[in-house]
Every structure is written in C-alpha cells, then in structure tokens.
Amino acid sequence: MRELRLTLRDNETLVLIEPGLIDRFDQAISKLGTFSHACIVTDNTVAPIYMSRIQGALRRMNTQFIEHIIPAGEASKSLATAATLFEKLAQARLGRDGLILAVGGGVVSDLAGFVAASWLRGVRFIICPTTLEADVDACLGGKTAVNIPAGKNLVGAFHQPIFIGVDPHCLKTLNKRDIRAGLAESIKHGFIADSDFLDWQHAKREQIVSLDEEILAELIERNLRIKAEVVTFDALERTDLRILLNFGHTVGHGIESCCGYRLRHGECVGLGMLAAAQVGVDMGVCEKTVVERIRTSLTDFELPIQLEDPPAWSSVLERIQNDKKNRDGLTRMVLLTDVGEPVVVDDVPDGVLRRSYDKLCDG
C-alpha cells in the first residue's frame, strides 16, 4: 500500500493507493469515522461494474445511502445535473454530517465535489477514481466544477476530499484510448516539474500501457506527489504556483469545448501542450527542442499530435478569452523556458495563439 497525507486549509486528505482497495473500501474509510448517511454519485458506465461493491462497503459500515447515476460524459457536468442531485439530497434529508462519495472519472468527481461544496455550504466528500486521468490528476487538489456554454469549469468551488482511494485494478476495465488519454496529465507533470520522471515514463511505456500493477502504482504515486507539492503551498490557486498545473489547458480546454467533447480531455491537453510550446518558441521563451520533446512524449503513448476536423479558430479563441487564468482581458498562459522550468506569461497576442493553433491543424 502507498499512502499520502495532505493538509490543505486545515483539512486533511488521506490518499491510499492499493490494488484491490475497492473491495475493502469500508476498511479504508472506517478509519475516518462513522457516516450515518451517504450519497453515491457515479455514471451509467461505472455503476454496473462497481456500484454493488460500494453498496456492500456502506452496508458493512451500517451507513444508509442513496444513489445518483448520471449519463457518462462531459455533458453531465452541468448546472442542470447538479440541480437534480440537489433535489435528491433534499428529499433524502442528507445533513451536514452526511457524505458524498464519487465513484468514477473526472466528470463524476468534479460534479460530485461541486455539489458537496455547495450542499448546506459543505459536506464531507470522498473520491474513488476509476480512470487513469482521475488517478494521476483529477482526484487530488479540491478543484470542483461544472461546465457552462461559455466554457469548461467556469462555475466551481474548492472543496477538499477527506479521502481518496485509488485502486489500480479499476484500470483494467478501460479501453486503450482512455488509458493513453489519461497519460497526458502524467506527461504534463513531467514537463512542468521533473525531467527524470519523463525519462522514466519513456523507459516504462510498455509496462504502463500493458497495466503492469507495480509500475502503475508507482506512476500514480509519483504524479500525485508532484501535484501535492504544488497544491499544498497554493490550495486556492492564489499565486502563479498552482497555475503551473494548467500547462496545456489554455488551448486544450478551448479545443475540448469546441469539439463538443468528442475528444478525450487528455488528448486535448496533449494538443494544448504542443500549442503552448509553439507559443513559447514564437515569443522567444524556449527553443524548438521543447516542442520536439513534447511531440516525442505524446507519440510514445500514441496520443494525437495533430487536430483532425478542427473547430473554427474564432470559437476556440472565444473559449480561450474566457479562461480562468486571464487578467484584465489579457490571455495568460503557462509556457516552458525548458523542460521542468514553467513560467506564466501575462500577455500572449492573439496572432501568436492563432499560429500555434494552425500548426496543430496543419501538422
């Protein structure tokens, strides 16, 4: 078992990484206290696989529970879905001593966390991530949100989970595309924080893709430790430190939203990292070798390096202009001066952004 403990804004989060943990979930969370009532939030892809196990864990703890199953996909991460869940919590009379338990990927944990932050001004929240993207990134940090037509994650709150239970066995139910897409956030962590971690991923790429249990556990732990080091010092994204975790997300979120979420989040982040590196070259922040290193890392895991059927630039730019990092109407981006050396640039010209986007479209 691998264990991390984080103290964020006077809240402690316990993280356990252990194969088979989902079948012993009651033993893990019983250490945190008792829960008289809970709401399980999951989607219709995950529910048939794991719902009965989570129900069994809660029954063994004598916890009464309700369930809320949403359609899988980004479309469910909406204010309308949140409102439906609020009504269900009201009908169940879930109190301040209740628990919301998210079982699924980033969409489920973002939505459930947003509801947990808002319901009665905050109730306890636990995450059982079931995708690689959630394992290495989305589960940790307390960012919760829903999407609106103007952009992704524009309505949200910071709300830390009290427990995150990562079971690498869950990844065996995923298809190869989702495994590879989840690795984009891992690649991102390497580029902003640890060149040696990038080299390790390159060396272990076959074991990672084949879901070698020990290698996966190490991959997940190394990612979460990188993110934890940042989040511990900047839990609310008040400084540029936590913003560094958004490398690749400025253009990436624009593409993801404008494509109607037909591309995976990680695929868009990978393309966004390429665009950010090209912006860095054009603005004299980094050398072309950084672009090539990103291209190689993405190619290692068969992630896209070219945008097929690209949305109109005007639509993507509109989303970029609504990005949460922006200040005073200026586009702010995380760029790299070199591998492991991120920097926030405060005024990226639209023309430079356009050229970087065109390169994604033209290959």
Side-chain angles (χ1 to χ4, degrees), residues 40-53:
I40 308 167
V41 182
T42 189
D43 66 39
N44 57 4
T45 298
V46 174
I49 306 172
Y50 299 115
M51 180 66 87
S52 63
R53 305 187 203 185

PDB file of all heavy atoms in Angstrom, residues 40-53:
ATOM      1  N   ILE A  40     -24.042   8.031  -3.085  1.00  0.00           N
ATOM      2  CA  ILE A  40     -23.070   7.545  -4.068  1.00  0.00           C
ATOM      3  C   ILE A  40     -23.371   8.218  -5.399  1.00  0.00           C
ATOM      4  O   ILE A  40     -24.493   8.128  -5.914  1.00  0.00           O
ATOM      5  CB  ILE A  40     -23.152   6.024  -4.240  1.00  0.00           C
ATOM      6  CG1 ILE A  40     -23.060   5.303  -2.894  1.00  0.00           C
ATOM      7  CG2 ILE A  40     -22.073   5.534  -5.202  1.00  0.00           C
ATOM      8  CD1 ILE A  40     -23.443   3.832  -2.971  1.00  0.00           C
ATOM      9  N   VAL A  41     -22.386   8.885  -5.975  1.00  0.00           N
ATOM     10  CA  VAL A  41     -22.534   9.515  -7.283  1.00  0.00           C
ATOM     11  C   VAL A  41     -21.616   8.794  -8.260  1.00  0.00           C
ATOM     12  O   VAL A  41     -20.412   8.668  -8.017  1.00  0.00           O
ATOM     13  CB  VAL A  41     -22.188  11.018  -7.241  1.00  0.00           C
ATOM     14  CG1 VAL A  41     -22.408  11.651  -8.620  1.00  0.00           C
ATOM     15  CG2 VAL A  41     -23.019  11.734  -6.185  1.00  0.00           C
ATOM     16  N   THR A  42     -22.191   8.307  -9.349  1.00  0.00           N
ATOM     17  CA  THR A  42     -21.407   7.612 -10.361  1.00  0.00           C
ATOM     18  C   THR A  42     -22.086   7.784 -11.715  1.00  0.00           C
ATOM     19  O   THR A  42     -23.089   8.510 -11.822  1.00  0.00           O
ATOM     20  CB  THR A  42     -21.232   6.124  -9.987  1.00  0.00           C
ATOM     21  OG1 THR A  42     -20.297   5.521 -10.879  1.00  0.00           O
ATOM     22  CG2 THR A  42     -22.551   5.374 -10.037  1.00  0.00           C
ATOM     23  N   ASP A  43     -21.547   7.173 -12.761  1.00  0.00           N
ATOM     24  CA  ASP A  43     -22.199   7.277 -14.067  1.00  0.00           C
ATOM     25  C   ASP A  43     -22.658   5.903 -14.542  1.00  0.00           C
ATOM     26  O   ASP A  43     -22.369   4.878 -13.925  1.00  0.00           O
ATOM     27  CB  ASP A  43     -21.294   7.980 -15.090  1.00  0.00           C
ATOM     28  CG  ASP A  43     -20.038   7.198 -15.444  1.00  0.00           C
ATOM     29  OD1 ASP A  43     -20.104   5.964 -15.565  1.00  0.00           O
ATOM     30  OD2 ASP A  43     -18.976   7.823 -15.636  1.00  0.00           O
ATOM     31  N   ASN A  44     -23.372   5.902 -15.659  1.00  0.00           N
ATOM     32  CA  ASN A  44     -24.002   4.658 -16.107  1.00  0.00           C
ATOM     33  C   ASN A  44     -23.033   3.684 -16.762  1.00  0.00           C
ATOM     34  O   ASN A  44     -23.429   2.569 -17.109  1.00  0.00           O
ATOM     35  CB  ASN A  44     -25.179   4.946 -17.047  1.00  0.00           C
ATOM     36  CG  ASN A  44     -24.782   5.777 -18.258  1.00  0.00           C
ATOM     37  OD1 ASN A  44     -23.616   6.104 -18.461  1.00  0.00           O
ATOM     38  ND2 ASN A  44     -25.770   6.128 -19.071  1.00  0.00           N
ATOM     39  N   THR A  45     -21.774   4.086 -16.927  1.00  0.00           N
ATOM     40  CA  THR A  45     -20.743   3.142 -17.360  1.00  0.00           C
ATOM     41  C   THR A  45     -20.108   2.463 -16.155  1.00  0.00           C
ATOM     42  O   THR A  45     -19.864   1.255 -16.147  1.00  0.00           O
ATOM     43  CB  THR A  45     -19.657   3.862 -18.188  1.00  0.00           C
ATOM     44  OG1 THR A  45     -20.245   4.408 -19.364  1.00  0.00           O
ATOM     45  CG2 THR A  45     -18.552   2.896 -18.587  1.00  0.00           C
ATOM     46  N   VAL A  46     -19.848   3.229 -15.132  1.00  0.00           N
ATOM     47  CA  VAL A  46     -19.171   2.719 -13.934  1.00  0.00           C
ATOM     48  C   VAL A  46     -20.111   1.918 -13.033  1.00  0.00           C
ATOM     49  O   VAL A  46     -19.716   0.907 -12.439  1.00  0.00           O
ATOM     50  CB  VAL A  46     -18.538   3.891 -13.157  1.00  0.00           C
ATOM     51  CG1 VAL A  46     -17.955   3.427 -11.830  1.00  0.00           C
ATOM     52  CG2 VAL A  46     -17.452   4.570 -13.999  1.00  0.00           C
ATOM     53  N   ALA A  47     -21.370   2.353 -12.936  1.00  0.00           N
ATOM     54  CA  ALA A  47     -22.307   1.741 -11.987  1.00  0.00           C
ATOM     55  C   ALA A  47     -22.431   0.222 -12.120  1.00  0.00           C
ATOM     56  O   ALA A  47     -22.383  -0.490 -11.107  1.00  0.00           O
ATOM     57  CB  ALA A  47     -23.683   2.399 -12.115  1.00  0.00           C
ATOM     58  N   PRO A  48     -22.580  -0.327 -13.342  1.00  0.00           N
ATOM     59  CA  PRO A  48     -22.718  -1.788 -13.431  1.00  0.00           C
ATOM     60  C   PRO A  48     -21.485  -2.555 -12.962  1.00  0.00           C
ATOM     61  O   PRO A  48     -21.576  -3.734 -12.605  1.00  0.00           O
ATOM     62  CB  PRO A  48     -22.966  -2.022 -14.932  1.00  0.00           C
ATOM     63  CG  PRO A  48     -23.455  -0.721 -15.467  1.00  0.00           C
ATOM     64  CD  PRO A  48     -22.746   0.317 -14.654  1.00  0.00           C
ATOM     65  N   ILE A  49     -20.331  -1.897 -12.953  1.00  0.00           N
ATOM     66  CA  ILE A  49     -19.090  -2.569 -12.583  1.00  0.00           C
ATOM     67  C   ILE A  49     -18.828  -2.483 -11.085  1.00  0.00           C
ATOM     68  O   ILE A  49     -18.437  -3.471 -10.446  1.00  0.00           O
ATOM     69  CB  ILE A  49     -17.892  -1.961 -13.359  1.00  0.00           C
ATOM     70  CG1 ILE A  49     -18.163  -1.970 -14.865  1.00  0.00           C
ATOM     71  CG2 ILE A  49     -16.603  -2.723 -13.049  1.00  0.00           C
ATOM     72  CD1 ILE A  49     -17.128  -1.212 -15.681  1.00  0.00           C
ATOM     73  N   TYR A  50     -19.053  -1.312 -10.500  1.00  0.00           N
ATOM     74  CA  TYR A  50     -18.589  -1.087  -9.131  1.00  0.00           C
ATOM     75  C   TYR A  50     -19.678  -0.757  -8.111  1.00  0.00           C
ATOM     76  O   TYR A  50     -19.402  -0.779  -6.909  1.00  0.00           O
ATOM     77  CB  TYR A  50     -17.553   0.051  -9.114  1.00  0.00           C
ATOM     78  CG  TYR A  50     -16.343  -0.256  -9.945  1.00  0.00           C
ATOM     79  CD1 TYR A  50     -16.041   0.498 -11.073  1.00  0.00           C
ATOM     80  CD2 TYR A  50     -15.495  -1.317  -9.618  1.00  0.00           C
ATOM     81  CE1 TYR A  50     -14.928   0.213 -11.844  1.00  0.00           C
ATOM     82  CE2 TYR A  50     -14.385  -1.608 -10.389  1.00  0.00           C
ATOM     83  CZ  TYR A  50     -14.105  -0.841 -11.509  1.00  0.00           C
ATOM     84  OH  TYR A  50     -13.025  -1.125 -12.276  1.00  0.00           O
ATOM     85  N   MET A  51     -20.880  -0.446  -8.541  1.00  0.00           N
ATOM     86  CA  MET A  51     -21.889   0.002  -7.584  1.00  0.00           C
ATOM     87  C   MET A  51     -22.147  -1.017  -6.484  1.00  0.00           C
ATOM     88  O   MET A  51     -22.223  -0.666  -5.296  1.00  0.00           O
ATOM     89  CB  MET A  51     -23.202   0.325  -8.308  1.00  0.00           C
ATOM     90  CG  MET A  51     -24.309   0.800  -7.374  1.00  0.00           C
ATOM     91  SD  MET A  51     -23.953   2.405  -6.607  1.00  0.00           S
ATOM     92  CE  MET A  51     -24.595   3.495  -7.879  1.00  0.00           C
ATOM     93  N   SER A  52     -22.271  -2.280  -6.840  1.00  0.00           N
ATOM     94  CA  SER A  52     -22.594  -3.288  -5.822  1.00  0.00           C
ATOM     95  C   SER A  52     -21.490  -3.392  -4.775  1.00  0.00           C
ATOM     96  O   SER A  52     -21.759  -3.625  -3.593  1.00  0.00           O
ATOM     97  CB  SER A  52     -22.830  -4.651  -6.474  1.00  0.00           C
ATOM     98  OG  SER A  52     -21.660  -5.113  -7.125  1.00  0.00           O
ATOM     99  N   ARG A  53     -20.233  -3.183  -5.184  1.00  0.00           N
ATOM    100  CA  ARG A  53     -19.122  -3.258  -4.227  1.00  0.00           C
ATOM    101  C   ARG A  53     -19.165  -2.091  -3.245  1.00  0.00           C
ATOM    102  O   ARG A  53     -18.929  -2.267  -2.042  1.00  0.00           O
ATOM    103  CB  ARG A  53     -17.790  -3.269  -4.964  1.00  0.00           C
ATOM    104  CG  ARG A  53     -17.678  -4.372  -6.016  1.00  0.00           C
ATOM    105  CD  ARG A  53     -16.276  -4.425  -6.577  1.00  0.00           C
ATOM    106  NE  ARG A  53     -16.257  -5.048  -7.890  1.00  0.00           N
ATOM    107  CZ  ARG A  53     -15.152  -5.310  -8.575  1.00  0.00           C
ATOM    108  NH1 ARG A  53     -13.969  -4.993  -8.061  1.00  0.00           N
ATOM    109  NH2 ARG A  53     -15.210  -5.875  -9.765  1.00  0.00           N
TER     110      ARG A  53
END
